[in-house]
Amino acid sequence: KIFRESEPLWVGLFLSTEAVGYYKAAYSLVSFLSVPADPLIAATYPEINRLVVQKAWAPLRSFLRKVTTLSFAINAAAALGFIFLGKFALILFTGRQEFAVAYPTMLALLVGLAFNYTLFWNRPLLLSLGLPEFPIWVTLIVGLIKVTLAFWLVPQYGMVAAGALLSFYYIASVGVMALRGVKQIK
């Protein structure tokens, strides 16, 4: 959690409390992507585990394709909404016109969170495959890279860089874990 949920602290350290407010508003809105994803996450783990235990690799790959397609469609629709209505949503959400400056940060966050919620099955798959330590190492390594880059990028490029770094964290960590899981079941 230190790599995913500490962003307001880094933004506050490198920028200002005002930037923290803008960042938190952008993150709060994009976090609504978890609403349709959470039931999918809860529903897929038992099925993934059942298919792994049965060593039903072809049905497992088919199941993961279907779940990924469904979550991608949901996230793509939500992304279009954020792209076209994001500034308005920020203003409506906060009740203040000046929060529209968080729109680029919201889009930067959207990329990583949509990726994360599209391939949300990566950890349950690795756990079912008996690889619980792999996600720990991946998140640690990618998280350390993210934090290191924050010292250089956030002071220079602001809260958009903080959002982009969190997206990098999700894309790199989730991508590596999903690839490892898919490679394992081939």
Side-chain angles (χ1 to χ4, degrees):
K1 289 193 171 211
I2 196 166
F3 300 123
R4 293 182 310 202
E5 296 178 11
S6 62
E7 294 305 306
L9 297 174
W10 295 112
V11 171
L13 175 68
F14 295 123
L15 302 175
S16 67
T17 55
E18 182 181 33
V20 172
Y22 294 144
Y23 185 91
K24 286 180 83 170
Y27 185 83
S28 295
L29 275 178
V30 176
S31 292
F32 282 114
L33 288 175
S34 69
V35 172
D38 285 344
L40 283 173
I41 294 167
T44 56
Y45 179 68
E47 185 64 12
I48 289 170
N49 197 44
R50 183 182 69 78
L51 293 167
V52 168
V53 168
Q54 293 174 348
K55 297 186 185 328
W57 308 123
L60 177 57
R61 285 190 297 274
S62 175
F63 178 71
L64 292 177
R65 265 192 303 276
K66 290 174 185 172
V67 167
T68 302
T69 301
L70 175 63
S71 59
F72 176 79
I74 292 168
N75 287 318
L80 288 173
F82 281 114
I83 290 167
F84 292 113
L85 301 172
K87 282 185 184 179
F88 175 72
L90 281 164
I91 294 166
L92 188 64
F93 181 68
T94 62
R96 303 191 58 184
Q97 182 74 31
E98 62 267 19
F99 276 83
V101 301
Y103 177 71
T105 302
M106 186 179 70
L107 294 181
L109 289 164
L110 176 64
V111 173
L113 286 168
F115 188 85
N116 179 51
Y117 288 123
T118 298
L119 299 176
F120 64 86
W121 46 260
N122 67 83
R123 285 176 191 256
L125 177 61
L126 291 170
L127 288 173
S128 295
L129 292 169
L131 299 167
E133 70 285 342
F134 188 76
I136 293 168
W137 287 109
V138 170
T139 55
L140 178 64
I141 292 166
V142 174
L144 290 172
I145 293 168
K146 175 188 150 302
V147 169
T148 302
L149 289 172
F151 280 89
W152 173 51
L153 295 173
V154 176
Q156 190 170 356
Y157 298 105
M159 62 184 177
V160 175
L165 283 170
L166 186 58
S167 282
F168 157 77
Y169 169 80
Y170 280 123
I171 291 167
S173 62
V174 169
V176 167
M177 289 185 282
L179 283 172
R180 173 72 188 270
V182 169
K183 181 181 175 186
Q184 198 75 22
I185 63 175
K186 282 193 175 187

